[in-house]
Amino acid sequence: MAIQTVGIIGAGTMGNGIAQACAVSGVNVVMVDIAQAAVDKGLATVAGSLDRLIKKDKLSAAQKDAALALIKGSTNYEYLKAAELVIEAATENHELKLKILKQIDGLLAPEAIIASNTSSISITQLAAATSRPDRFIGMHFFNPVPMMALVEIIRGYLTSDATHDAVKALAVRLGKSPITVKNAPGFVVNRILVPMINEAFFVLAEGLATAEDIDAGMKLGCNQPIGPLALADMIGLDVCLAVMEVYLAQFGDSKYRPCPLLKEMVAAGQLGRKTGRGVYTY
């Protein structure tokens, strides 16, 4: 099945990023959010992002206009009926996602595919809330979407080969490099990344090196663009802690225990960049 129109639920950071990636690649987009102000902000974000690409000579003004013409913003879910694929990119809240999925399941054509951009919630569990678990899949984009090449394509227990192949083909059309993943907590990237961040906190807590030296070591020794502690500040220490707690609960393996220092910093409200202070001061 060729996907010509993509519906996106959520006009926030991930939603408008996915919308931009689709539109620049010539795919029609319907971007829906509950408030018109959110829709307008999402559209303005895309326009601003495209302007920056023009300044870097990576896009022409004509290409920008063509891309924006392909994005329709609305607060009306009815417009999603035109989409062969709808990507749910709402806030990472289980109950909210279930509510949205049940709502659109009854609205879309029977052959339409539903994808979730969740970074942590079970695809199999979300699929079970719909009448089309064979046409449900995870499509986990990475932030910032227009710049990041990776898309994790997560197969639920009942996801069909046809659904997987159609979504993978779309990801390639968007200029992305998809990897196929089975459904499991954290999928692939976050499953490896967040425990690495947690281990960096153990190293810091044990006084083996300063935060600056830990980050420098991983940047210079492992060719990472940013050190794990600085990355934790960027993600949010509360988010890192929450992910570790999910892994500990779902895997039941003590190797996922959150570092006590990480827990203390979150308890103290030092969550990273968003609070002005985490491992580093901003």
Side-chain angles (χ1 to χ4, degrees), residues 6-8 10-31 41-54 56 58-59 63-64 66-72 87 141 143-148 170 173-176:
V6 172
I8 299 168
T13 302
M14 297 305 291
N16 68 57
I18 297 167
Q20 178 180 327
C22 289
V24 166
S25 301
V27 178
N28 292 301
V29 177
V30 180
M31 183 171 65
K41 184 179 179 183
L43 292 170
T45 300
V46 173
S49 178
L50 296 176
D51 282 337
R52 287 191 293 277
L53 291 175
I54 291 172
K56 294 176 182 175
K58 293 184 177 179
L59 199 74
Q63 287 172 315
K64 173 197 168 184
L68 289 177
L70 291 176
I71 305 175
K72 178 178 181 61
I87 303 171
F141 290 84
N143 189 25
V145 177
M147 310 299 294
M148 298 290 277
L170 175 70
R173 183 179 171 187
L174 301 186
K176 303 303 182 187

Side-chain angles (χ1 to χ4, degrees), residues 121-132:
I121 300 171
S122 166
I123 296 302
T124 299
Q125 201 172 32
L126 292 176
T130 75
S131 64
R132 60 186 86 205

Side-chain angles (χ1 to χ4, degrees), residues 5-276:
T5 301
V6 172
I8 299 168
I9 300 173
T13 302
M14 297 305 291
N16 68 57
I18 297 167
Q20 178 180 327
C22 289
V24 166
S25 301
V27 178
N28 292 301
V29 177
V30 180
M31 183 171 65
V32 176
D33 209 310
I34 52 170
Q36 187 61 46
V39 173
D40 293 343
K41 184 179 179 183
L43 292 170
T45 300
V46 173
S49 178
L50 296 176
D51 282 337
R52 287 191 293 277
L53 291 175
I54 291 172
K55 287 178 182 175
K56 294 176 182 175
D57 292 325
K58 293 184 177 179
L59 199 74
S60 69
Q63 287 172 315
K64 173 197 168 184
D65 293 340
L68 289 177
L70 291 176
I71 305 175
K72 178 178 181 61
S74 179
T75 57
N76 188 351
Y77 274 36
E78 289 287 324
Y79 285 110
L80 295 172
K81 285 181 178 178
E84 292 90 7
L85 167 69
V86 172
I87 303 171
E88 172 276 309
T91 307
E92 195 73 347
N93 177 294
H94 193 187
E95 294 307 315
L96 174 64
K97 287 184 187 293
L98 289 177
K99 180 184 173 187
I100 289 170
L101 293 173
K102 287 174 182 173
Q103 188 174 349
I104 63 170
D105 183 42
L107 188 69
L108 303 179
E111 64 274 12
I113 295 169
I114 301 176
S116 177
N117 181 57
T118 182
S119 59
S120 65
I121 300 171
S122 166
I123 296 302
T124 299
Q125 201 172 32
L126 292 176
T130 75
S131 64
R132 60 186 86 205
D134 58 320
R135 292 185 300 285
F136 194 98
I137 200 163
M139 202 175 186
H140 181 212
F141 290 84
F142 286 74
N143 189 25
V145 177
M147 310 299 294
M148 298 290 277
L150 180 64
V151 178
E152 285 183 319
I153 297 178
I154 304 108
R155 298 187 68 139
Y157 187 66
L158 297 174
T159 302
S160 71
D161 290 342
T163 296
H164 167 268
D165 295 348
V167 170
K168 184 177 181 180
L170 175 70
V172 171
R173 183 179 171 187
L174 301 186
K176 303 303 182 187
S177 299
I179 62 171
T180 300
V181 182
K182 287 182 181 177
N183 185 55
F187 312 134
V188 166
V189 175
N190 287 339
R191 166 85 174 269
I192 297 167
L193 177 68
V194 182
M196 182 195 73
I197 288 172
N198 191 54
E199 196 63 27
F201 274 93
F202 273 113
V203 171
L204 180 64
E206 290 166 22
L208 299 186
T210 64
E212 290 81 3
D213 282 353
I214 292 166
D215 279 351
M218 293 303 289
K219 284 164 67 178
L220 299 172
C222 298
N223 207 25
Q224 295 182 352
I226 183 172
L229 297 172
L231 180 58
D233 277 354
M234 191 180 291
I235 294 169
L237 303 197
D238 53 335
V239 175
C240 294
L241 175 59
V243 171
M244 288 305 296
E245 287 173 336
V246 167
Y247 292 173
L248 184 63
Q250 296 196 9
F251 288 114
D253 190 328
S254 63
K255 74 179 181 181
Y256 295 111
R257 70 203 184 288
C259 176
L261 175 61
L262 176 61
K263 294 168 81 170
E264 276 289 279
M265 292 178 72
V266 170
Q270 294 185 4
L271 308 182
R273 287 179 178 266
K274 60 188 172 186
T275 58

